[in-house]
Amino acid sequence: MFDTAADLVPHVGEEIGVSDWITVGQDKIDAFAELTGDKQWIHVDVERAKEKMPGGKTIAHGYLVMSLVPLMLIYRVTNFSRALNYGFDRLRFTGPTPSGARIRQRQTLKSCERVEGAYRVTNTCTIEVEGQERPAIVADQVIQYFD
């Protein structure tokens, strides 16, 4: 917990921590497919995946896993007028997330810069999949905290 975004500055370059595990079940995958219209069989056809996918399971959409990054945020800033997701830099989908897998986020504070009326904070986020060597995602998440 940090009072202000300025309190993050001394921690630039440090690993902030690791989130709790969350499960990415077929229910989440199906709901995301319905919401986005991305109903490719590798995500939603459980029976076909049993035969044709490595590991015999459907896989989560990369953007679904990416959308869970804020849920797994390691720290909280408590004193600001508003915060905005500014975007992602260097987003890579480096490995699959099979249905039913547990994921967690490992987060390093990459930068914390003063910009007009705000602090722009960049976190390197690595989304790990339990039991897999390669992470699902490696990305730099950018958040802007306004005074």
Side-chain angles (χ1 to χ4, degrees):
M1 197 70 76
F2 295 92
D3 185 43
T4 69
D7 295 334
L8 292 167
V9 173
H11 300 282
V12 169
E14 294 178 9
E15 182 176 286
I16 301 300
V18 180
S19 73
D20 291 332
W21 292 104
I22 63 171
T23 301
V24 182
Q26 191 63 46
D27 57 333
K28 284 184 177 76
I29 295 168
D30 290 342
F32 191 84
E34 191 62 38
L35 182 66
T36 62
D38 183 352
K39 299 178 184 178
Q40 186 180 173
W41 73 267
I42 63 172
H43 304 302
V44 298
D45 192 334
V46 174
E47 293 306 312
R48 187 173 177 187
K50 285 179 184 176
E51 294 179 22
K52 299 193 182 248
M53 290 295 289
K57 294 183 176 184
T58 61
I59 59 172
H61 307 73
Y63 289 121
L64 165 58
V65 177
M66 182 191 74
S67 75
L68 297 171
V69 165
L71 177 64
M72 295 182 286
L73 191 65
I74 306 301
Y75 65 86
R76 299 281 184 252
V77 176
T78 57
N79 189 9
F80 57 89
S81 67
R82 68 186 187 282
L84 293 174
N85 288 314
Y86 194 74
F88 283 90
D89 292 332
R90 208 187 59 78
L91 170 65
R92 297 292 181 266
F93 301 110
T94 53
T97 302
S99 175
R102 293 188 339 147
I103 62 171
R104 68 180 179 185
Q105 179 171 216
R106 184 171 301 277
Q107 195 169 50
T108 300
L109 182 59
K110 184 174 183 179
S111 67
C112 182
E113 304 169 309
R114 185 74 181 152
V115 295
E116 190 174 319
Y119 279 90
R120 187 171 298 153
V121 178
T122 303
N123 301 298
T124 298
C125 303
T126 303
I127 307 302
E128 300 173 339
V129 180
E130 188 174 41
Q132 288 184 193
E133 191 172 317
R134 291 185 59 86
I137 293 177
V138 178
D140 290 339
Q141 173 198 38
V142 186
I143 305 169
Q144 216 158 275
Y145 293 96
F146 290 85
D147 302 335

